[in-house]
Amino acid sequence: MQSSNGRPRGGGPDTPAGHLGHPVPPAVGAAGDVGYDDPWYDALASGWGEAPGHVPAGTVPAARQESEEKAAADIYLQVQRSQAFQEVRSSYRRFVVPAVAGFLAWYLAYMIAATTAPGLMAHPVAGAVNVAMLAGLGQFLSTFLLTWAYARNARLRRDRAALELRWDTQELTRGVRGGAV
């Protein structure tokens, strides 16, 4: 077997191409081509180079796969409609919507002040530090504070409930798939 530049790939039977310098014994194919008896040597990555409609060996038949997908979809819809899921989503929204609105308002106020009131932004506060520098640093500080507040809120109010939902969902889908996930 040769590569596109004409040189043999992986050495030959007399070159150390195997593990720890041991030669790999050649295998003779149907057309008399010399190859290597290594299943990984020319194996295609999943989905690469296969003809459309080609089903790799060892896959689940389509009818079973479709029924499992429908059953799993029903489970996910059931979980989405559950009170626990709705509480996790509403807790998320109760924090995120006001936080985003507040942050965008603060950012827009900074940008509007920078463009419409350059005299105010250039007003010195201490030495070479002016209002614009303090407001710009305030943007960074508010970003870090908002990130900290989001992580704290998620940890205290949502993570445990979301983890329980995930485990319950996995248990329900495991039953649909016959115990293997």
Side-chain angles (χ1 to χ4, degrees):
M1 187 174 290
Q2 296 200 350
S3 66
S4 61
N5 63 5
R7 293 185 302 187
R9 293 187 335 189
D14 56 341
T15 60
H19 180 64
L20 298 176
H22 299 292
V24 177
V28 177
D33 295 337
V34 175
Y36 295 99
D37 193 19
D38 181 5
W40 299 104
Y41 184 72
D42 275 336
L44 293 172
S46 178
W48 288 62
E50 288 140 359
H54 171 69
V55 177
T59 59
V60 178
R64 180 176 168 198
Q65 206 170 26
E66 287 176 9
S67 66
E68 284 180 4
E69 287 174 2
K70 285 181 183 177
D74 292 339
I75 289 171
Y76 286 113
L77 285 174
Q78 176 187 358
V79 169
Q80 184 181 10
R81 293 180 186 126
S82 72
Q83 182 62 33
F85 183 83
Q86 296 303 322
E87 180 57 36
V88 169
R89 292 298 295 169
S90 65
S91 174
Y92 171 78
R93 287 185 192 113
R94 278 193 305 266
F95 179 83
V96 169
V97 170
V100 168
F103 186 77
L104 286 177
W106 161 229
Y107 177 73
L108 288 174
Y110 171 68
M111 296 306 294
I112 290 170
T115 56
T116 61
L120 171 69
M121 298 301 268
H123 183 71
V125 175
V129 178
N130 60 19
V131 173
M133 286 183 183
L134 290 179
L137 290 174
Q139 289 288 314
F140 284 105
L141 180 63
S142 63
T143 301
F144 291 123
L145 286 174
L146 188 60
T147 303
W148 170 80
Y150 175 82
R152 183 175 185 275
N153 180 276
R155 184 180 69 245
L156 295 177
R157 291 187 169 66
R158 293 189 315 271
D159 285 352
R160 180 163 296 164
L163 185 61
E164 288 173 5
L165 275 170
R166 184 183 341 165
W167 282 110
D168 292 345
T169 305
Q170 286 179 351
E171 287 297 319
L172 291 171
T173 57
R174 184 173 288 127
V176 168
R177 293 182 183 152
V181 174

